[in-house]
Amino acid sequence: MKKQNCLKSHVALASASLLGAQLVTAGNPGSVFDDVDPMVTDFNMCDIFDKNTLYQSDSGFIRKIKLQGRYHSQYISAVERIDGVRDNEFDQIQHRRARIQMSFDLANNLSFGFDANFSDGDGSSNTLVNNGDTFINNFQTINIQWKPTDDFYVIIGKDKQDITREDIQSSRFIKTVERAPIVNEIGQQRPWGAQVGWITNGIEQRLGAWVYGAYDQGPEWVDFSANKGLSYNLTVPVNDDLDFHLDWNYVNNDGGLERARGNAEVGTFGSAYEHAVAVGIDYEKDRLKVISDFIYGANRERSGAYRGSEEIPAGNDTWGFYVMPSYKITENLEGVFRYQYMDSGREQRTQRFGNDGGGDRNARFNVENYHSVYGGFQYFLCGENLKLMGGYEHAWGDLFGTNTEIETGSWQFAMRTYF
């Protein structure tokens, strides 16, 4: 996409903002702005997070327009050792996420929304700039939903392909600075597709059909030359405190011999595994919450060798699990713990950056018999809308295909906000 399209994107955004301003000032009797009494002195800073409705009406095709967004930054200080010898270390401030989101409630039980990345999105220490060609680099999600009843819905567009309790949880609410390695190894997919969901006797099920690739030019629209796949999700309430979950994702990758993207230019939307299955629980009672999943991935696409680690061959399987309890110590302070195990796969964040001081942002070894323990906290300044996070993670295992030990320790601190 050329520079002139970049200008068009900026003009479109400005036009949308102007339209929103016109909607809320046009005298429509359905428009909603909360009048502020100048005599009120008990202003609460956290109230600003609720002021995101641009337009609301009880009639017409457009019923509500909301403008939302999030910004997440973090500081990572990590040291990695190979056979006890320090091999990699870095200290880095990372602009982890910067997104703008809009949602439209429409007549006839329809809704439309998008969540767009407008930072460079690489999670590095770069400043908040776009990729040079477009204001919106890509859409994290963009879809239309039809929900005629509380027990049935259809979603069409780009969306998160749910697998595991930790991955399903939005980045606005996750309790650790980064997700577990085994979760990132098989999850974090946002392909284009269509989903149908229904609830029967409290049991929720969902079927999805997906396309795992896109065109390279922003905002990365769907490319149907990519490989296709399916998904299934099941949630069964056991009692008021406990839910049981089953997730299954499928990628037509020829037993690991092909990438999910097929012939598409961009293909980070599909799992590296042909089949990924997660069986887990979600337990919450009073101040205690526990999530956990057992995970299995079959027929991985190959991952090239990296320095001392051997190549993960096509068709390799993996398995693992995590357990993450959290406890609200006070109204504003929550303690978080997580243990995870991954049979084989690639290192994930925070081991992704800074190998040998060379700035390589993909300095991830292939590993096996890989453990990690995280202990940390969340401090809520304005609930989940504005919070501070911190913790320490210790990870250890072997380089894939060798008896060489690898060990990483990382301090992680973050600021998370959304409106």
Side-chain angles (χ1 to χ4, degrees):
M1 191 172 288
K2 304 300 182 184
K3 293 291 184 181
Q4 62 183 9
N5 291 336
C6 176
L7 177 61
K8 291 179 181 178
S9 297
H10 284 78
V11 171
L13 181 69
S15 301
S17 301
L18 179 60
L19 174 62
Q22 291 174 336
L23 286 170
V24 298
T25 59
N28 187 323
S31 300
V32 173
F33 259 146
D34 294 331
D35 294 330
V36 178
D37 188 342
M39 301 302 293
V40 175
T41 58
D42 58 344
F43 172 74
N44 186 340
M45 180 191 73
C46 296
D47 291 341
I48 64 175
F49 294 106
D50 297 325
K51 310 299 181 182
N52 56 5
T53 299
L54 302 181
Y55 172 80
Q56 186 167 332
S57 174
D58 294 329
S59 61
F61 182 66
I62 300 177
R63 301 298 174 89
K64 181 186 288 188
I65 302 175
K66 295 182 71 173
L67 174 65
Q68 299 171 281
R70 75 190 75 177
Y71 173 68
H72 296 168
S73 64
Q74 57 198 43
Y75 168 75
I76 307 295
S77 179
V79 175
E80 189 163 71
R81 291 178 171 84
I82 306 295
D83 261 354
V85 178
R86 187 161 61 183
D87 177 78
N88 178 20
E89 63 178 307
F90 70 94
D91 299 273
Q92 196 173 73
I93 296 175
Q94 301 172 354
H95 299 292
R96 183 65 172 90
R97 300 176 184 91
R99 298 176 189 161
I100 190 166
Q101 180 178 349
M102 291 196 73
S103 60
F104 302 80
D105 290 347
L106 309 174
N108 304 315
N109 302 303
L110 292 169
S111 62
F112 170 76
F114 66 81
D115 190 5
N117 294 297
F118 66 89
S119 170
D120 56 8
D122 68 358
S124 72
S125 60
N126 295 337
T127 56
L128 288 177
V129 295
N130 60 44
N131 62 16
D133 290 330
T134 60
F135 176 76
I136 294 177
N137 288 355
N138 52 55
F139 289 107
Q140 195 78 356
T141 60
I142 178 170
N143 53 61
I144 187 167
Q145 178 173 323
W146 178 52
K147 190 174 183 180
T149 72
D150 291 338
D151 296 331
F152 180 81
Y153 57 89
V154 177
I155 304 173
I156 299 175
K158 191 174 190 289
D159 203 8
K160 177 181 281 191
Q161 191 179 56
D162 291 348
I163 188 165
T164 78
R165 299 313 93 211
E166 190 179 33
D167 190 29
I168 286 173
Q169 190 67 76
S170 167
S171 64
R172 296 172 297 175
F173 308 118
I174 55 176
K175 297 176 181 292
T176 58
V177 177
E178 297 291 352
R179 294 179 173 89
I182 184 60
V183 172
N184 282 335
E185 172 70 12
I186 60 95
Q188 287 290 285
Q189 318 309 328
R190 291 174 175 83
W192 295 84
Q195 303 171 78
V196 177
W198 64 96
I199 301 173
T200 306
N201 297 324
I203 298 174
E204 182 174 2
Q205 301 179 76
R206 191 187 334 161
L207 281 172
W210 305 96
V211 181
Y212 293 111
Y215 293 101
D216 188 36
Q217 292 180 322
E220 299 182 353
W221 298 113
V222 59
D223 183 348
F224 287 96
S225 69
N227 283 340
K228 316 303 190 296
L230 301 169
S231 66
Y232 174 74
N233 303 96
L234 170 69
T235 298
V236 180
V238 179
N239 54 44
D240 291 340
D241 306 320
L242 178 66
D243 289 339
F244 167 83
H245 301 271
L246 170 66
D247 307 311
W248 168 70
N249 292 344
Y250 166 72
V251 176
N252 181 20
N253 70 359
D254 193 18
L257 298 177
E258 296 183 12
R259 293 185 177 182
R261 74 184 190 190
N263 295 321
E265 294 173 337
V266 177
T268 56
F269 306 149
S271 175
Y273 293 85
E274 182 178 25
H275 296 276
V277 180
V279 177
I281 61 159
D282 186 336
Y283 174 83
E284 185 168 10
K285 186 175 179 62
D286 299 327
R287 298 188 175 195
L288 175 66
K289 182 176 178 66
V290 181
I291 60 173
S292 181
D293 282 280
F294 177 85
I295 304 160
Y296 181 78
N299 293 331
R300 194 194 200 284
E301 65 184 45
R302 64 175 291 273
S303 177
Y306 184 80
R307 297 174 67 223
S309 59
E310 294 184 3
E311 173 184 298
I312 299 178
N316 189 74
D317 298 346
T318 193
W319 66 274
F321 66 93
Y322 72 91
V323 180
M324 184 165 68
S326 57
Y327 186 81
K328 289 291 284 292
I329 301 169
T330 70
E331 185 67 24
N332 298 97
L333 181 64
E334 183 176 37
V336 182
F337 174 84
R338 183 185 67 209
Y339 169 78
Q340 80 87 49
Y341 174 80
M342 179 172 66
D343 177 61
S344 65
R346 295 187 68 191
E347 285 185 300
Q348 301 291 334
R349 294 175 180 267
T350 59
Q351 296 79 18
R352 186 174 181 176
F353 298 92
N355 188 74
D356 290 339
D360 183 356
R361 63 179 294 270
N362 286 306
R364 295 183 288 174
F365 290 98
N366 299 327
V367 294
E368 59 186 359
N369 193 29
Y370 195 66
H371 308 255
S372 68
V373 174
Y374 176 96
F377 70 91
Q378 297 191 100
Y379 187 80
F380 303 99
L381 298 171
C382 294
E384 296 282 3
N385 293 111
L386 178 61
K387 65 183 181 181
L388 303 176
M389 307 173 72
Y392 181 80
E393 185 171 30
H394 182 66
W396 69 98
D398 298 318
L399 297 183
F400 185 83
T402 75
N403 292 320
T404 304
E405 295 180 351
I406 182 170
E407 181 182 15
T408 306
S410 57
W411 289 100
Q412 307 173 26
F413 299 96
M415 184 277 291
R416 299 286 160 88
T417 184
Y418 81 92
F419 63 92

